[in-house]
Amino acid sequence: MTGALYAVSDLHVSYAQNRAVVDGLRPESADDWLIVAGDVGELFADIERTLRLLRDRFARVVWVPGNHELWTHPTDPVTLRGVARYEALVAMCRELGVDTPEDDYPVWHGAGGPVTVAPLFLLYDYSFRAPGTTTKEESLRAAYASGVVCTDEMLLHPDPYPDRESWCRARLAATARRLDATDPALPTVLVNHWPLVRQPTEVLWYPEFAQWCGTDRTADWHVRHRAAVAVYGHLHIPRTTHYDGVRFEEVSLGYPREWGRRGGEPRPMRRILGDAG
């Protein structure tokens, strides 16, 4: 198997400038895979259209949801909430031939492999608390007082769970069982929209936002589950870091006002493993 395993996230295709960037995402060989680590868009039709376009181009597409896909946006004709919305997204992906966190984990056999590519959907539980706070309630109060509040609080519904942290706990338990059952002889590429460790959030301009960025319950998953690479997005701070000797890749495009400041033509697709075309 030739080709490469690429990754991208936070395409936010509601912006015309981002749609133009997405139109330029093309494989370099017929064997290239693409990881899409969440936040394709907010509207169901936009998400479907984008994933269809990418699936038509790449040999395999692996998707995980971000918080924006899970929003029940007031302008979206698809009014499903919470788990029902997620399940509808999974069904749509299966019709397109796109891998999801609910499918068997594919194995990459190209250069750098074999590795198990594990798409994860874990959410967050407010354990990345705002500085100086010790409870979720205190952390949220600090965020509201500073004016830094994630739109999830209005649009990401946890139904039928009572709250987002309960949904997160359920996702963590189910996902840990699946990862524990993977082939122990193979390393993994762990793909989650939110970072598995808190350290990447330390560079946020607004530290109060970290509480919507992950959970401390996954702090050792990159070691425990043999990660060769951990792929994430959400922070809109594309970079490569290492924790406990494991490479972490933040692969987001972000909003036009963000990537525009970096100058030049945005090239958000990052090669994770494999040979360049």
Side-chain angles (χ1 to χ4, degrees):
M1 182 176 177
T2 59
L5 174 64
Y6 290 96
V8 72
S9 76
D10 296 78
L11 296 173
H12 294 291
V13 298
S14 61
Y15 294 89
Q17 302 99 310
N18 284 27
R19 291 196 297 275
V21 173
V22 171
D23 192 55
L25 298 181
R26 298 180 184 275
E28 296 187 5
S29 88
D31 290 325
D32 289 349
W33 291 19
L34 181 64
I35 291 166
V36 182
D39 278 8
V40 173
E42 297 82 36
L43 304 184
F44 200 97
D46 286 348
I47 301 163
E48 180 175 12
R49 186 181 305 110
T50 303
L51 291 176
R52 184 187 301 278
L53 179 149
L54 296 173
R55 182 63 187 89
D56 287 344
R57 294 177 178 176
F58 288 83
R60 195 156 195 165
V61 173
V62 179
W63 166 85
V64 299
N67 53 313
H68 283 235
E69 281 103 337
L70 300 172
W71 287 358
T72 304
H73 199 278
T75 65
D76 195 343
V78 178
T79 58
L80 296 169
R81 294 163 55 116
V83 173
R85 182 173 180 87
Y86 172 61
E87 290 176 344
L89 288 162
V90 168
M92 175 266 288
C93 284
R94 286 174 170 168
E95 289 181 6
L96 298 177
V98 171
D99 292 284
T100 79
E102 307 311 309
D103 299 310
D104 292 338
Y105 296 152
V107 175
W108 166 259
H109 288 283
V115 298
T116 300
V117 179
L120 315 177
F121 167 39
L122 302 176
L123 274 170
Y124 52 84
D125 62 2
Y126 301 89
S127 54
F128 293 178
R129 295 191 179 109
T133 67
T134 58
T135 67
K136 172 191 172 182
E137 292 72 23
E138 288 179 354
S139 188
L140 280 173
R141 281 199 298 271
Y144 276 92
S146 67
V148 179
V149 179
C150 184
T151 306
D152 291 5
E153 293 298 310
M154 284 66 75
L155 298 183
L156 201 167
H157 306 288
D159 311 19
Y161 293 95
D163 46 45
R164 282 175 284 277
E165 56 266 42
S166 298
W167 194 3
C168 175
R169 284 194 294 271
R171 293 300 312 180
L172 289 166
T175 305
R177 288 193 295 270
R178 291 196 63 197
L179 287 171
D180 287 341
T182 59
D183 185 344
L186 296 185
T188 62
V189 173
L190 300 180
V191 182
N192 188 49
H193 179 65
W194 300 268
L196 296 176
V197 296
R198 179 163 187 170
Q199 291 94 317
T201 69
E202 292 170 357
V203 298
L204 291 173
W205 285 1
Y206 302 103
E208 298 86 357
F209 190 77
Q211 61 197 294
W212 293 282
C213 294
T215 168
D216 59 13
R217 294 170 183 256
T218 58
D220 68 343
W221 277 32
H222 57 295
V223 176
R224 172 180 163 189
H225 297 297
R226 312 175 308 282
V229 188
V231 176
Y232 67 101
H234 190 59
L235 303 186
H236 295 194
I237 307 172
R239 60 179 181 153
T240 302
T241 53
H242 293 80
Y243 307 105
D244 303 303
V246 177
R247 175 163 55 103
F248 278 66
E249 297 282 2
E250 209 279 12
V251 296
S252 59
L253 171 61
Y255 301 127
R257 67 177 183 273
E258 294 167 329
W259 56 256
R261 288 196 296 263
R262 300 177 196 130
E265 190 70 21
R267 298 176 60 85
M269 206 166 69
R270 187 89 54 88
R271 183 156 56 93
I272 305 301
L273 293 174
D275 299 321

